Amino acid sequence: HRRLDEIAAHHETRLARVVEACAAAPGTAYDLLGVLFRRSMDEHHLPFAMGEAVAHLAHLATEGRLTAAEDADGILRYSAAG
């Protein structure tokens, strides 16, 4: 299952980059789009990208790799845990 291993490794690399970015500075799902996706998003693709970013951030928070804090405006900002 070489292809599955390649996809899993690629996914983990992207998740690790998100954790590194959040260690440097807390970020929102929107802030982290450039870390997850290498291309710019048009108005059609942006909602899909945001949904995927939110899912990745929730996954990392569930794993204990990120923490989420709601700011005064109700926006979640993610930081690297520990």
Side-chain angles (χ1 to χ4, degrees), residues 11-12 15 53-66 78:
H11 190 73
E12 181 52 41
L15 293 177
V54 168
H56 282 74
L57 293 168
H59 171 73
L60 288 167
T62 299
E63 282 191 331
R65 294 167 67 182
L66 293 181
Y78 293 85

Side-chain angles (χ1 to χ4, degrees), residues 2-17:
R2 190 182 94 229
R3 181 64 182 139
L4 292 176
D5 292 339
E6 290 170 353
I7 292 168
H10 170 79
H11 190 73
E12 181 52 41
T13 298
R14 291 293 168 99
L15 293 177
R17 288 182 185 160

Side-chain angles (χ1 to χ4, degrees), residues 27-43:
T28 65
Y30 184 80
D31 296 335
L32 296 162
L33 287 177
V35 176
L36 286 167
F37 305 103
R38 301 235 180 241
R39 62 179 197 255
S40 62
M41 298 290 155
D42 61 25
E43 62 187 39

Side-chain angles (χ1 to χ4, degrees), residues 46-57:
L46 184 59
F48 298 107
M50 284 295 295
E52 190 167 340
V54 168
H56 282 74
L57 293 168

